[in-house]
Amino acid sequence: MRSIKEICVVGSGPSSSHTMGPSNACEYILNKYKNIDQIIVVLYGSLAKTGKGHLTDYIINKRLEGIKHKIFFNPNRNLSHPNTMEIYTITIPYYLHKDRFISIGGGSLIINDDSSSLPKEVYPEHNMDEILLYCQKKNISLLDYVKLYEPDAKEYYTSIVRKMKDIVSKGLLEKEIYMPGDYKLERKAPRIYQKYCSLKDDDPSKNLDSYLFIAAMAASEENACGHEVVCSPTCGSSGVLPGIVSYLEKLGYKEDKIVDAMMVGALIGIVCKQNGSISGAEAGCQAEIGNASAIGAAMFAFINDLDNESITLAAETVLEHSLGLTCDAIEGRVQIPCINRNALYALKAKDAYLMIKMMGKLDNRVSLDDIIKTMRQTGKDLDSGYRETSEKGLAELFREHKEKKL
């Protein structure tokens, strides 16, 4: 498996596959070719259908600023992956170059249909069952396993945890009222947070569970506005883990322990990414928010001293009960239902951990690997209108409401 560093990456919202991926593709072109005269970018599938709402054209224009370029949207051509883009580069002396990119989520790219363009493998095990078996034979924890193969992950995730806390703080105190889009949605987190802080200490609503969903909402609203976030494991799900990190800090856990929990959670995340998917365009929101919540459940289980099997079972539980979640954001923006969903699934991550803690040792008939395979197949079976195309579901409903008002 590849590095767990892939699971949490700092970038600009609102969509890792639609902003970070195309941005990285443009960067690749700028580094690969010299004496560029003109660049033509063609977006297909989901990139074309929701590119405007996801700010894909904005980020490409920003990245290619100062270079003559054009962007074309081709939503009707069916390719093997819905997040496919082609870049035609004209260099001087005049020569036309063609490069194809598949944005698989988290900013990662498959370039020119060559999966070897992805980062190199770090871990020899290929799935969670193999990891658990190895840890059992060596009598080590999942954290020990990560440290064995990625000793530098601690430093990396320390910076990630700090960034997450900064994003939550910014989101809670943001003065900007409206988020981008025709619907002019208001930010909720700053207002709710002010109300939360004004409550008396003996008010039942002033509990840390309330803070958890407010913090997750704050980070998700930062993403919806296209601000800098921690893609974890995607931008669309970038509220869950920062909310949990901020919550754990409120509970009094030291940064060092929270970082360890993030590393264990990220190990779950990379298993989900490589054996399943984290792309909403490929597998629906189950692949984004479901995976984020699974990572969060593993974090809660680890930080509360559950064993390797229980940590994995907590992740499996919440992912199993996220199966079939659609990705049908209105206007192609990561706002409705995404923001509230981030808040809700931060709480679900905690609930999954509590269930496993209370149930204790189980003769579990379904493994995390089983659920990951099921998630991937479920995603393939979902109608394309529910996979980040804004064609059906809530997106269609709101579009009909909007048309009636015109």
Side-chain angles (χ1 to χ4, degrees), residues 28 100 102 109-120:
Y28 172 89
R100 175 176 287 190
I102 298 175
L109 295 169
I110 294 175
I111 303 173
N112 293 321
D113 300 319
D114 181 8
S115 59
S116 67
S117 59
L118 292 167
K120 296 185 183 301

Side-chain angles (χ1 to χ4, degrees), residues 286-325:
Q286 57 172 0
E288 296 197 45
I289 204 77
N291 284 331
S293 196
I295 294 168
M299 290 175 63
F300 276 118
F302 169 82
I303 212 162
N304 286 286
D305 300 320
L306 270 60
D307 61 23
N308 292 348
E309 287 72 19
S310 297
I311 291 169
T312 305
L313 189 54
E316 181 275 321
T317 298
V318 74
L319 187 57
E320 178 182 351
H321 297 288
S322 304
L323 292 177
L325 271 176

Side-chain angles (χ1 to χ4, degrees), residues 268-288:
I268 298 290
I270 196 64
V271 174
C272 291
K273 180 174 182 177
Q274 286 200 235
N275 296 328
S277 175
I278 63 166
S279 169
E282 184 178 33
C285 197
Q286 57 172 0
E288 296 197 45

Side-chain angles (χ1 to χ4, degrees), residues 116-232:
S116 67
S117 59
L118 292 167
K120 296 185 183 301
E121 301 280 321
V122 174
Y123 299 91
E125 283 66 41
H126 303 93
N127 56 44
M128 206 63 214
D129 285 345
E130 291 182 10
I131 293 170
L132 289 172
L133 181 61
Y134 179 86
C135 290
Q136 183 181 27
K137 287 180 178 179
K138 297 294 183 180
N139 193 28
I140 61 174
S141 68
L142 293 176
L143 179 63
D144 293 331
Y145 175 78
V146 171
K147 288 181 175 179
L148 179 65
Y149 291 104
E150 284 197 90
D152 59 340
K154 181 82 171 186
E155 181 181 359
Y156 180 82
Y157 271 96
T158 298
S159 67
I160 288 294
V161 163
R162 291 173 182 173
K163 188 67 177 177
M164 286 180 169
K165 290 188 289 187
D166 289 344
I167 290 164
V168 170
S169 297
K170 186 175 184 299
L172 291 174
L173 302 175
E174 180 60 57
K175 301 300 182 185
E176 183 182 39
I177 298 176
Y178 296 104
M179 293 180 283
D182 293 341
Y183 286 95
K184 293 293 181 183
L185 295 175
E186 291 189 30
R187 282 177 176 256
K188 302 185 193 77
R191 174 173 52 81
I192 300 173
Y193 181 61
Q194 287 180 357
K195 180 180 179 181
Y196 173 84
C197 292
S198 68
L199 295 173
K200 295 181 179 179
D201 290 340
D202 60 352
D203 191 309
S205 297
K206 195 167 187 176
N207 58 67
L208 284 180
D209 277 8
S210 295
Y211 177 81
L212 172 56
F213 91 75
I214 297 169
M217 184 179 289
S220 189
E221 287 179 347
E222 281 294 287
N223 177 69
C225 291
H227 295 171
E228 188 175 70
V229 294
V230 177
C231 168
S232 49

Side-chain angles (χ1 to χ4, degrees), residues 45-160:
S46 177
L47 289 179
K49 291 175 181 178
T50 62
K52 291 287 185 181
H54 282 354
L55 306 183
T56 307
D57 52 341
Y58 167 81
I59 201 69
I60 292 174
N61 285 329
K62 186 176 180 181
R63 182 61 71 184
L64 299 181
E65 189 175 8
I67 297 175
K68 185 180 178 182
H69 66 277
K70 293 181 180 179
I71 304 171
F72 294 94
F73 296 82
N74 186 347
N76 299 318
R77 184 178 173 190
N78 294 319
L79 297 171
S80 60
H81 195 286
N83 283 340
T84 300
M85 60 185 290
E86 291 177 338
I87 299 183
Y88 298 85
T89 308
I90 301 173
T91 57
I92 301 173
Y94 287 98
Y95 190 86
L96 179 64
H97 312 266
K98 175 185 174 182
D99 293 278
R100 175 176 287 190
F101 303 87
I102 298 175
S103 182
I104 62 172
S108 299
L109 295 169
I110 294 175
I111 303 173
N112 293 321
D113 300 319
D114 181 8
S115 59
S116 67
S117 59
L118 292 167
K120 296 185 183 301
E121 301 280 321
V122 174
Y123 299 91
E125 283 66 41
H126 303 93
N127 56 44
M128 206 63 214
D129 285 345
E130 291 182 10
I131 293 170
L132 289 172
L133 181 61
Y134 179 86
C135 290
Q136 183 181 27
K137 287 180 178 179
K138 297 294 183 180
N139 193 28
I140 61 174
S141 68
L142 293 176
L143 179 63
D144 293 331
Y145 175 78
V146 171
K147 288 181 175 179
L148 179 65
Y149 291 104
E150 284 197 90
D152 59 340
K154 181 82 171 186
E155 181 181 359
Y156 180 82
Y157 271 96
T158 298
S159 67
I160 288 294

Side-chain angles (χ1 to χ4, degrees), residues 363-375:
D363 179 18
N364 199 42
R365 305 299 174 90
V366 180
S367 72
L368 177 61
D369 290 329
D370 291 333
I371 295 302
I372 292 171
K373 291 177 185 176
T374 304
M375 174 190 68

